[in-house]
Amino acid sequence: MEVVSESDDAETSIIHLPDDCLSFIFQRLDNVADHDSFGLTCRRWLNIQNINRRCVQFECSFTILNPASLSQPNPDVNSYHLHRLLTRFQWLEHLSLAGCMVLNDSSLTSLRIPGARLRGLYLDCCFGISDDGIFTIASFCPNLRVLSLHRCNISDIGLETLARASLPLLCVNLSYCPLVSDFGIKALSQACLQLESVKISSCKSITGVGFNNCSPTLIYVDAESCQLEPKGITGIISGGGIEFLNLSGVSCYIKEGLVPIGSGIASKLRILNLRMCRTVGDESIEAIAKGCPVLQEWNLALCHEIKVLGWEAVGKWCRNLKKLHVNYCRNLCDQGLLALRGGCTNLRILYMSGNARLTPTAVEMF
């Protein structure tokens, strides 16, 4: 006779899984559709979805952090929408409100909900954000690393507020903020000793002197179309850590004001953009070529005053150069191109067009 023993084991289902297991499952879903389906299952699973959301932005955003983070399209996000959003997603680390043009300073009071966890905040083209909004950010977001204020209505007062708050900022975007000057830059650079990247493109009131004695952590400065002065350029590189420098279209009266870049302070410089610096001359080019030995990409497009001596210096000293832009350089002739060919042994890409003094033969030989 066969004896059958009956098991008393209870039936198990997915509802018995603890929240940490459900979070583990959610984090390994591959796409947005799966994330949404997960949250629509029940209230508990919706809560799991909410607490695992680390990044939010809208389709009107100009700064794409991660395509998977895009929320529903809503170009008219207002204070009410933002409050509901931050009430739902309280564990955010990155928030992009770029392009949400109807937001104002009072809208930012909702940042108190996820503020302590926020690491990146993007407010590009939020025209209603001013110095009062910066005070709110400094109060509620003590651990902010990245702050983008492109085209915001802020001034030196706002930057001084950030400086007093001693935020651990690494990257700051102040491009097209016309009310910002050297005073605000000085306050920020002296207080934020971990600062790595600053964008000040088209800030016409900045000469660069506010960067004097900046931290050696500063490796990236984008100063396109600024009214920089020679002392300001020296200030930007004064920390000694600069690796990327964009001076495209800077003031036309700095003909030999770029010589300090080659003094040895910027010896770590890898990428230098001097596009449309039409008056930069051979002296500056030679100094930079000698003093920046690890330079890998150099944009000299539309630099009309560089002549044979300048091109020969590039060929002689820029041994690590891989990319060179010489578009529309009026004084690049056959002799200069020959110097580049013979000296820049690691050159991989040469961007060239509109070089009227070059002969087809010289180009073919190159």
Side-chain angles (χ1 to χ4, degrees):
M1 183 175 69
E2 183 179 358
V3 178
V4 179
S5 124
E6 293 184 2
S7 174
D8 293 331
D9 290 345
E11 190 175 301
T12 303
S13 74
I14 198 169
I15 64 172
H16 296 104
L17 290 177
D19 286 355
D20 57 346
C21 288
L22 291 175
S23 291
F24 184 85
I25 294 170
F26 176 83
Q27 290 165 11
R28 278 149 186 80
L29 297 178
D30 293 332
N31 55 61
V32 176
D34 288 340
H35 287 174
D36 292 341
S37 297
F38 185 100
L40 291 172
T41 304
C42 64
R43 285 183 179 275
R44 182 185 173 211
W45 286 33
L46 178 62
N47 185 57
I48 296 294
Q49 180 192 30
N50 291 343
I51 64 176
N52 278 278
R53 191 71 178 257
R54 295 292 181 267
C55 177
V56 163
Q57 65 184 129
F58 297 90
E59 288 192 356
C60 58
S61 177
F62 305 117
T63 307
I64 302 299
L65 307 175
N66 179 356
S69 71
L70 290 174
S71 184
Q72 293 299 316
N74 188 350
D76 296 322
V77 179
N78 57 34
S79 300
Y80 172 74
H81 300 134
L82 182 60
H83 180 74
R84 290 198 61 185
L85 177 81
L86 298 185
T87 300
R88 177 181 175 185
F89 303 119
Q90 298 189 16
W91 294 79
L92 292 180
E93 295 180 359
H94 300 276
L95 174 62
S96 177
L97 300 173
C100 299
M101 294 180 285
V102 301
L103 292 179
N104 54 30
D105 291 330
S106 62
S107 305
L108 299 183
T109 56
S110 296
L111 289 176
R112 69 180 182 277
I113 302 172
R117 300 179 183 87
L118 272 184
R119 299 294 185 271
L121 180 60
Y122 303 82
L123 299 171
D124 302 14
C125 294
C126 292
F127 305 125
I129 303 301
S130 68
D131 294 330
D132 290 338
I134 299 301
F135 179 82
T136 302
I137 293 170
S139 301
F140 293 146
C141 307
N143 296 305
L144 207 58
R145 303 291 197 275
V146 180
L147 180 59
S148 186
L149 299 169
H150 171 79
R151 291 189 182 273
C152 287
N153 190 30
I154 65 163
S155 70
D156 293 337
I157 296 173
L159 297 188
E160 289 172 344
T161 299
L162 291 175
R164 287 194 298 270
S166 299
L167 301 182
L169 289 171
L170 301 178
C171 304
V172 179
N173 185 354
L174 303 171
S175 57
Y176 290 87
C177 293
L179 302 179
V180 171
S181 74
D182 291 308
F183 295 103
I185 293 297
K186 181 179 180 179
L188 198 66
S189 64
Q190 296 300 313
C192 301
L193 300 181
Q194 303 175 55
L195 202 59
E196 297 178 356
S197 171
V198 178
K199 293 184 178 182
I200 52 173
S201 302
S202 295
C203 293
K204 302 298 185 182
S205 298
I206 294 179
T207 67
V209 295
F211 286 99
N212 282 332
N213 301 314
C214 61
S215 171
T217 62
L218 186 64
I219 62 175
Y220 181 109
V221 174
D222 186 344
E224 181 175 352
S225 300
C226 287
Q227 301 295 323
L228 298 183
E229 297 177 354
K231 290 183 178 179
I233 294 173
T234 302
I236 289 174
I237 65 173
S238 61
I242 200 73
E243 296 181 14
F244 175 100
L245 182 58
N246 182 5
L247 301 178
S248 175
V250 297
S251 309
C252 60
Y253 54 83
I254 59 167
K255 182 173 183 178
E256 302 304 347
L258 301 182
V259 170
I261 296 177
S263 64
I265 303 176
S267 60
K268 297 180 180 179
L269 190 63
R270 295 184 298 106
I271 300 176
L272 177 60
N273 188 347
L274 300 181
R275 181 179 180 273
M276 293 182 67
C277 293
R278 293 184 171 90
T279 62
V280 63
D282 291 340
E283 183 181 349
S284 289
I285 296 301
E286 183 176 3
I288 295 171
K290 289 181 180 180
C292 303
V294 298
L295 200 62
Q296 295 179 12
E297 181 173 357
W298 199 352
N299 192 334
L300 295 172
L302 292 156
C303 293
H304 299 312
E305 294 303 312
I306 304 175
K307 300 178 181 177
V308 173
L309 290 177
W311 298 119
E312 288 179 343
V314 174
K316 182 177 181 180
W317 301 102
C318 295
R319 298 298 182 180
N320 291 304
L321 200 63
K322 295 180 180 179
K323 294 182 181 180
L324 180 62
H325 305 246
V326 298
N327 311 70
Y328 297 98
C329 291
R330 292 175 186 168
N331 284 306
L332 176 59
C333 60
D334 291 359
Q335 187 178 347
L337 190 63
L338 180 62
L340 295 177
R341 172 186 173 226
C344 299
T345 55
N346 284 310
L347 194 64
R348 297 293 177 265
I349 301 175
L350 180 66
Y351 297 95
M352 56 187 299
S353 61
N355 305 106
R357 295 188 62 187
L358 290 179
T359 65
T361 303
V363 174
E364 184 176 349
M365 289 179 62
F366 182 88

